[in-house]
């Protein structure tokens, strides 16, 4: 299902390294990662805790600085940009969902979601339509006028996802976007991710949840700061057997 | 399938085809559709063991059909089944044996084995997600069965992760 490359990759890293200095001791978190994500691809990043997954996506989003190596976003070298230039690039090209939602407390849910689209120059009408679509898909239409603080953790998480997608960013970066969600809300989030992916959205997502990773075209596994596996999810076997047998295998 | 059929017959007498339909209706596409021949073979064995009894029922312009009902001994076997704890999940499965034995013989690399298995599990997971979407929300047994399969898979994947960490 990998989209044929058209133009530069949405995202690329070359020998990317992150070393934290804690108490004078160098602690390598990411140790030479080469990753190329084509436009329209959905990549899940998996691996045990401490394997460098979050550090990697934080660097991709400019939330953390690299120690060495290169980061390219849509054909532009990003890691050498000034902080303000990075911020502009980020606003134009990248949507984020992280474990902490960082919603603006004194704005309504609707305004939180519309803000990124407005900042990037969308018309108010367009921003509103996009917001209505996203909140609708995430079952949050009736929360539009609430303050984020009055929402549950799971609801705030979904608002953060809507906000990240408001812009139709070139790349959606997500770090455990279903971490706080119950089974039903996870299903809504998965449905929306699948939908925007089919519409061409590039997604790079850290997750330990197999249900979420199973949606991806490609899974990258990190271990101890390095990529140990990178490839397509095994093709479905259902056509040969019938869905029931899939369940029986583990039933 | 013995005890599933017995349970259905304890609810009400039925013939083979009705049992097939009942299983399909209860579990939906989340469970393999039982083969009618297999059902008749199982009913035959249950009858031989005295757990069910079949009675021929005449049908106009069709061959007789055999309706089965659960006997007292069958009811006892069912009680025993329900009261006994069920086996835990398999952990010493085929993959585990490969993981332990293959590297000893030099025919496979453990990292590669784990990676391949992970992709395979994720492929199954993708099927399950699709299956859950296609399955009627109101069919609770089918949805719960699928969710159970997903949770088992998640545990298998977590365990693969543990195995991989162990290689460090």
């Amino acid at each position: 299902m990998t989209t044929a490359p058209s133009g530069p990759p949405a995202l690329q890293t070359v020998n990317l390294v992150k070393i934290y200095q804690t108490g004078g001791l160098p602690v390598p978190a990411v140790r030479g990662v080469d990753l190329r994500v084509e436009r329209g691809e959905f990549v899940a990043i998996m691996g045990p805790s401490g394997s460098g997954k979050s550090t990697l996506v934080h660097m991709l989003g400019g939330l953390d600085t690299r120690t060495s190596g290169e980061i390219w976003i849509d054909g532009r070298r990003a890691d050498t940009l000034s902080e303000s230039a990075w911020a502009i690039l980020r606003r134009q090209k990248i949507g984020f969902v992280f474990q902490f939602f960082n919603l603006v407390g004194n704005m309504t849910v609707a305004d939180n979601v519309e803000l990124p689209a407005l900042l990037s120059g969308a018309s108010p009408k367009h921003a509103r339509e996009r917001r209505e679509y996203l909140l609708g898909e995430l079952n949050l239409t009736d929360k539009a006028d609430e303050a984020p603080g009055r929402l549950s953790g799971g609801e705030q998480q979904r608002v953060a996802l809507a906000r990240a997608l408001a812009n139709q960013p070139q790349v959606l970066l997500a770090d455990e976007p279903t971490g706080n969600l119950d089974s039903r809300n996870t299903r809504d989030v998965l449905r929306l991710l699948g939908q925007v992916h089919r519409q061409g959205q590039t997604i790079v997502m850290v997750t330990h949840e197999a249900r979420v990773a199973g949606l991806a075209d490609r899974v990258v596994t990190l271990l101890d700061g390095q990529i140990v596996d990178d490839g397509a999810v095994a093709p479905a076997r259902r056509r040969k057997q019938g869905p029931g047998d899939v369940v029986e295998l583990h039933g | 399938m013995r005890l599933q059929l017995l349970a259905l017959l304890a609810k009400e007498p039925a013939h083979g085809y009705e049992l097939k339909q009942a299983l399909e209706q209860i579990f939906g596409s989340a469970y393999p559709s039982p083969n009618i021949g297999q059902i008749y073979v199982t009913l035959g064995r249950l009858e031989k063991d005295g757990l069910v009894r079949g009675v021929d029922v005449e049908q106009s312009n069709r061959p007789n059909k055999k309706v089965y009902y659960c006997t007292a001994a069958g009811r006892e076997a069912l009680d025993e089944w329900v009261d006994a704890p069920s086996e835990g999940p398999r952990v010493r499965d085929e993959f585990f044996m490969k993981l332990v034995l293959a590297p000893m013989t030099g025919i496979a690399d453990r990292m590669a084995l784990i990676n391949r298995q992970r992709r395979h599990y994720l492929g199954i997971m993708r099927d399950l997600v699709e299956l859950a979407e296609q399955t009627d929300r109101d069919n609770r047994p089918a949805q719960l069965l699928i969710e159970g399969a997903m949770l088992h898979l998640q545990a298998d994947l977590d365990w693969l992760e543990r195995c991989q960490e162990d290689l460090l």
Side-chain angles (χ1 to χ4, degrees):
Chain A
M1 238 196 287
T2 303
T3 319
S6 57
L11 207 70
Q12 188 173 12
T13 72
V14 181
N15 198 15
L16 191 63
V17 171
K18 177 69 185 182
I19 298 170
Y20 288 107
Q21 294 288 339
T22 42
L25 274 176
V27 180
V30 171
R31 304 190 301 156
V33 163
D34 292 304
L35 178 68
R36 181 185 165 111
V37 178
E38 303 298 343
R39 289 188 194 186
E41 251 191 316
F42 185 164
V43 178
I45 299 181
M46 302 190 84
S49 62
S51 60
K53 312 180 296 273
S54 290
T55 305
L56 176 62
V57 289
H58 281 205
M59 284 193 288
L60 294 178
L63 294 188
D64 210 342
T65 57
R66 70 178 185 358
T67 303
S68 65
E70 301 169 18
I71 300 172
W72 295 74
I73 310 245
D74 196 24
R76 274 183 73 189
R77 178 103 186 241
D79 57 277
T80 48
L81 294 176
S82 69
E83 210 165 298
S84 58
W86 227 140
I88 292 169
L89 185 66
R90 197 154 64 210
R91 200 162 69 204
Q92 289 169 340
K93 308 269 186 192
I94 294 176
F96 285 103
V97 206
F98 288 117
Q99 279 156 315
F100 308 100
F101 342 108
N102 294 324
L103 298 170
V104 182
N106 56 10
M107 279 168 46
T108 64
V109 163
D111 289 343
N112 265 283
V113 175
E114 285 182 31
L115 185 65
L118 293 171
L119 282 177
S120 72
S123 71
K125 178 171 175 286
H126 184 263
R128 191 183 65 241
E129 285 169 0
R130 179 81 179 153
R131 178 260 295 174
E132 284 168 352
Y133 161 70
L134 291 167
L135 290 184
E137 288 300 317
L138 292 168
N139 247 319
L140 288 167
T141 301
D142 55 343
K143 305 285 182 188
D145 298 323
E146 298 272 7
R150 298 176 55 96
L151 270 49
S152 71
E155 286 165 342
Q156 292 189 47
Q157 178 76 309
R158 283 177 289 148
V159 173
L161 176 62
R163 179 186 55 182
L165 287 168
N167 231 356
Q168 294 176 278
Q170 188 105 59
V171 181
L172 176 71
L173 295 176
D175 190 358
E176 300 285 2
T178 56
N180 297 301
L181 302 181
D182 63 21
S183 171
R184 197 183 141 206
N185 290 333
T186 297
R187 206 167 53 210
D188 290 337
V189 166
L190 293 188
R191 211 186 41 226
L192 180 64
L193 287 174
Q195 220 170 78
V196 295
H197 173 47
R198 282 190 294 278
Q199 293 162 9
Q201 178 69 56
T202 310
I203 303 173
V204 176
M205 183 176 60
V206 170
T207 186
H208 73 276
E209 270 195 77
R211 257 203 302 176
V212 186
L215 276 184
D217 303 316
R218 178 176 151 204
V219 174
V220 170
T221 305
L222 287 184
L223 186 65
D224 200 25
Q226 291 180 309
I227 293 179
V228 293
D229 191 31
D230 181 351
V233 171
R237 8 182 297 148
R238 163 179 25 90
R239 298 300 163 221
K240 270 194 302 193
Q241 301 194 333
D245 305 278
V246 168
V247 169
E248 196 188 37
L249 279 176
H250 292 265
Chain B
M1 210 182 348
R2 281 169 69 89
L3 288 144
Q4 288 97 307
L5 295 185
L6 205 51
L8 289 175
L9 291 176
K11 181 171 153 267
E12 60 190 350
H15 57 84
Y17 191 68
E18 284 172 335
L19 292 170
K20 175 178 159 66
Q21 284 180 314
L23 284 173
E24 281 168 353
Q25 203 207 329
I26 293 168
F27 296 109
S29 56
Y31 201 78
S33 181
N35 170 324
I36 188 72
Q38 220 179 327
I39 288 182
Y40 283 120
V41 169
T42 309
L43 286 170
R45 289 191 188 134
L46 287 168
E47 189 168 27
K48 208 177 103 220
D49 295 342
L51 304 182
V52 307
R53 185 169 302 159
V55 181
D56 277 326
V57 174
E58 265 184 51
Q59 296 194 108
S60 50
N61 60 44
R62 279 180 154 199
N64 290 352
K65 67 176 178 184
K66 211 167 184 185
V67 170
Y68 292 86
Y69 62 93
C70 183
T71 63
R75 182 68 210 209
E76 226 167 87
L78 197 57
D79 285 346
E80 219 170 277
W81 175 57
V82 171
D83 290 344
S86 302
E87 272 307 306
R90 294 168 299 121
V91 284
R92 294 180 302 275
D93 64 2
E94 196 193 344
F95 174 73
F96 178 74
M97 293 306 167
K98 283 187 198 171
L99 187 65
V100 173
L101 298 176
M104 285 168 35
T105 62
I107 55 176
D109 168 58
R110 278 188 296 172
M111 188 69 92
L113 278 175
I114 293 169
N115 286 338
R116 195 179 315 130
Q117 193 67 16
R118 178 191 302 104
R119 292 194 203 179
H120 175 65
Y121 283 157
L122 288 172
I124 297 176
M125 186 60 97
R126 175 181 284 189
D127 282 353
L128 289 173
V129 169
E130 217 170 276
L131 183 59
E133 276 166 15
Q134 288 161 3
T135 300
D136 189 355
R137 289 259 168 103
D138 299 328
N139 186 343
R140 295 317 297 159
Q143 290 289 358
L144 286 172
L145 185 59
I146 295 168
E147 200 166 340
M150 287 177 166
L151 289 168
H152 279 289
L153 259 184
Q154 180 71 55
D156 287 337
L157 279 155
D158 291 347
W159 179 74
L160 282 185
E161 209 164 74
R162 282 290 307 117
C163 293
Q164 206 153 39
E165 279 181 289
D166 228 52
L167 298 181
L168 286 180

